[in-house]
Amino acid sequence: MLNKKAQTGMTMNQGLLIVRMMFMIFVSVSVVFLVFKFVALSVDVKPAEGNILLNRLISSPGCLAYTDLELNRSYPGIIDMARFNSSHLDDCIYFGESNDYAAANLTLLILGTGKLNTTYYNKDGYIILRPRAGLAGTGGVMLFKQKRYVLLKDGEDMKRALLTVELVLPGN
Amino acid sequence: MMLLKRGVFRGRRAQTEHEAMWTIAEMVFFSIFLITLMLFARSAWRNTTFEKNYLARDMAMTLNTLYMSPQRLTFSYPYNASKYNMLYQGSVVRVGDAESKNKKTDRIYWFADEKWRRLDYMLSRIESPSLILYLITPSEKLVIISDNNNGIISPGGG
């Protein structure tokens, strides 16, 4: 049988062991947490992808860029007014029949006249996605906005214009 | 002490035995923890999910960029992807392990075709050390060519 002093000492020892065990568990959990935090299984490419699609809308010969069919040469920076419509844009960046991947609103301000032309790439998708721009989480949408001075080829005329593109990509 | 009286550790020797048991329990716990951590590190080292995700995304963005080309274009892909199968299905790049037939571990990413000018060649395997060449031909079909030792294996359609 232990005396009172020994009993007290033992109780203190036990208390310390419990604290020590708790500290050990805390350290272990912290190590696991840190390890998992630095394990990357994917890479976020949305910003790069948004810029690529935005530039593709403007500069691709299949999209808005004016193409001289006789020379088979396209001119990035010159917008062909005949192509500035939704059906052409939907065909030039084609994610399939159901596009829930990207959408855009394009506004063309013709300088000097103040005339505005607006068209959409994937209009239905844009109407759904645009209000969610900037929201955090998986339901959020990433918005890319770019203004660019362009030349506008409207028939035989060449005009100066300011093109504003708002592209939305779902997912943050 | 009531707790000790009820337990297996009784008497003066019990105190030492009790502490020894705690130390042994700690050592066992740490051993299990370390072994688990090592096993995880080993599986992470063998895991190719990140590479497949990276490759699928990079391929998709590369294709998106290539569609922007104003003229005929030749592009050589500088990444050695011999460990992976790549497949273009619709608007999706699918990347899987070459040695595995388990499709569940494949990774996909989306790219946009042009509706009237689409990929007409499917690439199944890239041999090491290989390059992939993309050509936009005058007939306006995008052709992917696998190039092995600078010799064209298959020019596909177009």
Side-chain angles (χ1 to χ4, degrees):
Chain A
M1 193 67 188
L2 297 173
N3 60 26
K4 282 193 176 180
K5 197 177 169 186
Q7 281 181 3
T8 314
M10 211 154 169
T11 313
M12 279 182 72
N13 272 351
Q14 276 202 325
L16 283 172
L17 283 171
I18 288 166
V19 171
R20 191 169 145 178
M21 189 61 100
M22 282 170 69
F23 180 72
M24 197 173 72
I25 290 167
F26 171 75
V27 169
S28 310
V29 170
S30 302
V31 169
V32 170
F33 177 76
L34 284 171
V35 166
F36 275 93
K37 189 171 169 56
F38 289 101
V39 172
L41 292 176
S42 187
V43 56
D44 181 23
V45 294
K46 286 281 176 194
E49 196 179 12
N51 282 317
I52 287 170
L53 289 176
L54 207 144
N55 281 306
R56 190 172 157 185
L57 273 171
I58 301 168
S59 305
S60 171
C63 284
L64 289 176
Y66 167 68
T67 305
D68 189 326
L69 295 174
E70 286 181 19
L71 298 173
N72 193 26
R73 179 183 173 184
S74 69
Y75 297 84
I78 300 179
I79 302 293
D80 191 346
M81 195 60 195
R83 295 177 170 195
F84 197 75
N85 56 67
S86 287
S87 64
H88 182 80
L89 292 176
D90 288 349
D91 288 350
C92 84
I93 298 183
Y94 186 71
F95 280 103
E97 287 304 322
S98 163
N99 179 3
D100 50 5
Y101 195 74
N105 173 29
L106 297 94
T107 307
L108 204 55
L109 171 67
I110 300 168
L111 298 175
T113 63
K115 196 179 165 190
L116 272 175
N117 282 298
T118 301
T119 191
Y120 292 91
Y121 163 62
N122 184 19
K123 187 176 182 180
D124 295 341
Y126 185 82
I127 290 166
I128 294 166
L129 293 174
R130 182 62 180 86
R132 284 156 48 187
L135 291 180
T138 48
V141 165
M142 205 172 264
L143 174 71
F144 300 86
K145 193 170 181 178
Q146 199 172 90
K147 286 186 177 182
R148 199 177 284 188
Y149 286 101
V150 292
L151 286 173
L152 180 66
K153 183 147 177 47
D154 191 3
E156 292 302 310
D157 295 339
M158 197 75 90
K159 299 168 185 168
R160 291 182 301 123
L162 177 65
L163 178 69
T164 308
V165 186
E166 278 188 354
L167 180 94
V168 283
L169 289 182
N172 273 320
Chain B
M1 193 182 157
M2 294 302 289
L3 185 71
L4 286 173
K5 276 180 182 174
R6 272 193 259 112
V8 286
F9 303 104
R10 294 181 187 187
R12 281 178 192 277
R13 263 180 66 196
Q15 189 179 358
T16 320
E17 284 172 5
H18 192 236
E19 284 175 14
M21 285 303 289
W22 272 93
T23 311
I24 290 165
E26 275 181 357
M27 285 171 71
V28 169
F29 176 80
F30 264 119
S31 306
I32 292 168
F33 178 70
L34 275 176
I35 288 166
T36 313
L37 215 59
M38 289 299 125
L39 286 173
F40 172 76
R42 188 161 165 256
S43 75
W45 178 62
R46 289 183 172 183
N47 195 342
T48 55
T49 307
F50 181 81
E51 282 89 345
K52 285 184 288 190
N53 269 326
Y54 171 84
L55 215 52
R57 281 159 171 71
D58 197 43
M59 272 288 172
M61 288 201 298
T62 303
L63 288 167
N64 274 334
T65 310
L66 291 173
Y67 270 114
M68 227 189 300
S69 166
Q71 282 292 312
R72 187 189 172 105
L73 176 81
T74 305
F75 175 78
S76 43
Y77 191 64
Y79 189 88
N80 183 358
S82 57
K83 290 180 186 172
Y84 308 101
N85 280 329
M86 280 189 220
L87 204 63
Y88 302 89
Q89 293 173 317
S91 291
V92 167
V93 179
R94 176 183 285 271
V95 180
D97 292 303
E99 292 170 1
S100 168
K101 289 181 179 175
N102 185 8
K103 296 286 177 193
K104 286 179 183 172
T105 58
D106 288 1
R107 289 291 174 265
I108 59 169
Y109 208 73
W110 295 263
F111 69 95
D113 281 310
E114 284 176 18
K115 194 170 185 180
W116 311 116
R117 190 176 72 147
R118 306 187 68 178
L119 285 170
D120 60 354
Y121 179 70
M122 296 194 15
L123 188 69
S124 58
R125 178 80 195 265
I126 307 162
E127 298 295 336
S128 175
S130 68
L131 298 173
I132 311 165
L133 302 180
Y134 297 90
L135 299 178
I136 295 175
T137 64
S139 61
E140 296 219 324
K141 281 184 180 175
L142 186 66
V143 182
I144 296 182
I145 295 173
S146 176
D147 182 351
N148 193 8
N149 299 325
N150 298 323
I152 291 170
I153 297 169
S154 172

